[in-house]
Amino acid sequence: MKRVVAILTVFVLLLCACGKEAPVADSLPDYTAKELALNVIEGINLTEENFQFVNDNYDEAAMAKYIQGFYGLDSENLIDAAIYRSADPLKADEISIFKLSDTVDISMAFNELEEYRHSRQGDFFGYNPEQAFIVDNSIVSLSSDGAWAAVLICENPEDADRAFFSALGMALPEYDEPSVSEGIQSEAIEHSELGELPEYWYPYVDPDIDDMTVWDNAAIVAAVKAGSDAELNAQGKMLYKSLIEIINSIISDDMSELEKEQAVYKWLCTNCQYDYRHYDIPSAAPRESYEPYGAIVKGEAVCLGYATAFQLFMDILDIECITVVGAAFYSREDHAWNMVKIDGEWYCVDATWDCGFVPSHFQFFNVSSEYMALTDHQWDYESYPISLPEEIGSGLIHKLYNW
């Protein structure tokens, strides 16, 4: 259940406008942001060992830049801050506390932290839906006097909010349930192939968070087709060796295009795991995770690594393919996937979002553009073909393709 803390913000602002002070305790504890964060962590029955203290990774100037970049709060609006994020990169848990200056625009601060919370959900959307759900139900909270703000991402955010107010010696405010629809609201999009696209084809805006430059595979494709790695560097030779071994083990000359594509997709989804170092603070995912080397040799990649690896296999096998550089989570997160042309028809595939699943549970193999739009993929709709076949994904492909 999500609670809308914006009501509290309006309440504080109205009190200020009327010349009245918000009701607070006579004597408030004099906490640092770190001490208050640890009180909240204790209140949800966790310990400091469950988290990494992000502040330890930066000096004062770099921390201020980090907070402004991710949370939208500049140093003029902050007195103190403490950011605790889960020590396990697979978990979204976060307790972040900000002591606000008396010059801050409270409404602005709340909206900036809400935007951060939504972007944090995007870090897990598609890759780890359980954690995305936890972020979706998390809370951005403001103290009754407007002096403190908190981002409370955990399994029991209400308990965290209660601990936050209790530590400050304040009564927990009442919150209203959302009264408006949370459905996507956007203008219809024009596309030359389909005319006016439905509203749920969310407008694409480049998130511009990661370097999504697509790896140039021309040299390795030429080497594999020539049967010689003589012109490749050391890393290229390792990739060449892995490619030859994989192709020889999963591909035969009598296979159709579809069977070859199916074999590659199955291998990639079951032999490569997502590189969760991408979510470290700061990100520790190496560039090779954005390229085929990470996916094929190291067995670890982010979305662009999956997509360029699939592209590489298709180019070697002479199957027409495109790497789509787009977005996910309402254009908040960079994302990449592929389109492949099989028997004259374009299909969409997203190996990243099928990684770790057994083939019978693949959801993104040879699906339509409509399906991709419905499952929160955004892209430059005019720059790529539109896949028009009747929908065949969403749990049905194991029957159609005999996985």
Side-chain angles (χ1 to χ4, degrees):
M1 179 182 69
K2 289 193 292 183
R3 298 187 296 173
V4 179
V5 189
I7 303 299
L8 174 60
T9 303
V10 175
F11 177 67
V12 172
L13 293 174
L14 286 174
L15 286 179
C16 293
C18 296
K20 299 178 182 179
E21 295 183 357
V24 298
D26 293 335
S27 178
L28 299 180
D30 186 20
Y31 286 120
T32 64
K34 182 176 182 179
E35 290 170 339
L36 182 52
L38 291 174
N39 267 273
V40 175
I41 289 171
E42 182 180 357
I44 56 175
N45 297 316
L46 294 176
T47 68
E48 190 173 4
E49 286 69 34
N50 295 117
F51 293 85
Q52 58 168 319
F53 185 46
V54 174
N55 300 53
D56 285 341
N57 294 305
Y58 301 94
D59 61 25
E60 184 175 350
M63 190 64 191
K65 184 177 180 181
Y66 173 83
I67 291 173
Q68 183 170 15
F70 281 86
Y71 297 87
L73 303 177
D74 60 41
S75 56
E76 293 180 358
N77 292 324
L78 285 177
I79 297 173
D80 193 12
I83 299 174
Y84 280 91
R85 290 177 67 172
S86 175
D88 182 351
L90 300 182
K91 291 186 175 182
D93 290 9
E94 174 179 344
I95 303 296
S96 292
I97 304 293
F98 304 93
K99 189 170 186 179
L100 305 174
S101 69
D102 56 9
T103 60
V104 71
D105 181 330
I106 300 297
S107 179
M108 178 279 296
F110 174 82
N111 289 334
E112 291 289 351
L113 294 177
E114 266 291 280
E115 180 61 28
Y116 165 77
R117 186 179 70 84
H118 282 294
S119 68
R120 185 63 177 149
Q121 185 183 4
D123 286 344
F124 297 94
F125 192 90
Y127 310 100
N128 194 331
E130 179 181 331
Q131 295 302 308
F133 178 80
I134 288 174
V135 183
D136 188 41
N137 285 272
S138 61
I139 291 174
V140 171
S141 192
L142 295 171
S143 64
S144 302
D145 60 353
W148 295 93
V151 177
L152 307 172
I153 303 175
C154 56
E155 291 188 7
N156 299 298
E158 291 84 3
D159 291 344
D161 202 24
R162 192 173 296 108
F164 173 61
F165 277 90
S166 177
L168 289 172
M170 300 178 182
L172 187 67
E174 295 289 334
Y175 296 100
D176 293 335
E177 294 292 338
S179 59
V180 297
S181 169
E182 295 183 359
I184 299 172
Q185 302 294 325
S186 63
E187 295 181 0
I189 304 164
E190 293 291 331
H191 191 281
S192 57
E193 291 184 47
L194 295 180
E196 189 176 272
L197 296 176
E199 287 185 346
Y200 53 80
W201 285 55
Y202 196 83
Y204 169 68
V205 179
D206 183 1
D208 197 24
I209 298 171
D210 296 317
D211 180 358
M212 299 296 284
T213 304
V214 176
W215 187 75
D216 184 355
N217 69 18
I220 190 71
V221 170
V224 172
K225 289 187 174 183
S228 172
D229 65 359
E231 301 298 320
L232 302 176
N233 60 22
Q235 189 179 78
K237 290 180 187 295
M238 294 180 67
L239 179 56
Y240 174 93
K241 181 176 182 294
S242 294
L243 284 165
I244 296 297
E245 291 175 353
I246 295 164
I247 290 172
N248 286 341
S249 67
I250 67 173
I251 302 296
S252 61
D253 293 337
D254 62 347
M255 283 182 171
S256 66
E257 283 187 341
L258 175 60
E259 288 170 334
K260 291 176 181 178
E261 180 212 8
Q262 185 179 3
V264 168
Y265 193 82
K266 178 180 177 180
W267 183 91
L268 190 57
C269 291
T270 55
N271 287 276
C272 180
Q273 64 180 3
Y274 191 81
D275 189 350
Y276 284 97
R277 292 175 294 177
H278 180 242
Y279 301 134
D280 286 350
I281 303 296
S283 175
R287 188 61 200 172
E288 64 188 27
S289 290
Y290 293 77
E291 300 172 351
Y293 185 86
I296 296 170
V297 178
K298 294 292 189 177
E300 199 168 30
V302 298
C303 61
L304 189 60
Y306 278 90
T308 54
F310 184 84
Q311 177 82 57
L312 177 56
F313 278 112
M314 294 299 100
D315 288 349
I316 291 170
L317 296 171
D318 292 320
I319 298 173
E320 191 171 355
C321 183
I322 299 170
T323 296
V324 180
V325 175
F329 199 62
Y330 311 132
S331 282
R332 287 190 176 96
E333 296 293 323
D334 291 303
H335 191 42
W337 60 94
N338 300 95
M339 296 190 71
V340 60
K341 200 169 192 178
I342 302 295
D343 297 328
E345 290 278 6
W346 282 108
Y347 297 89
C348 303
V349 297
D350 188 345
T352 310
W353 285 14
D354 271 337
C355 71
F357 290 99
V358 296
S360 61
H361 288 82
F362 287 162
Q363 300 288 312
F364 296 95
F365 177 78
N366 284 8
V367 297
S368 68
S369 295
E370 172 81 352
Y371 182 80
M372 298 295 274
L374 281 166
T375 54
D376 197 21
H377 292 73
Q378 299 84 47
W379 64 98
D380 184 346
Y381 304 111
E382 289 288 348
S383 297
Y384 298 96
I386 293 294
S387 174
L388 297 173
E390 183 179 352
E391 186 52 58
I392 56 176
S394 188
L396 301 178
I397 54 175
H398 62 290
K399 297 178 181 178
L400 297 171
Y401 292 119
N402 297 315
W403 288 111

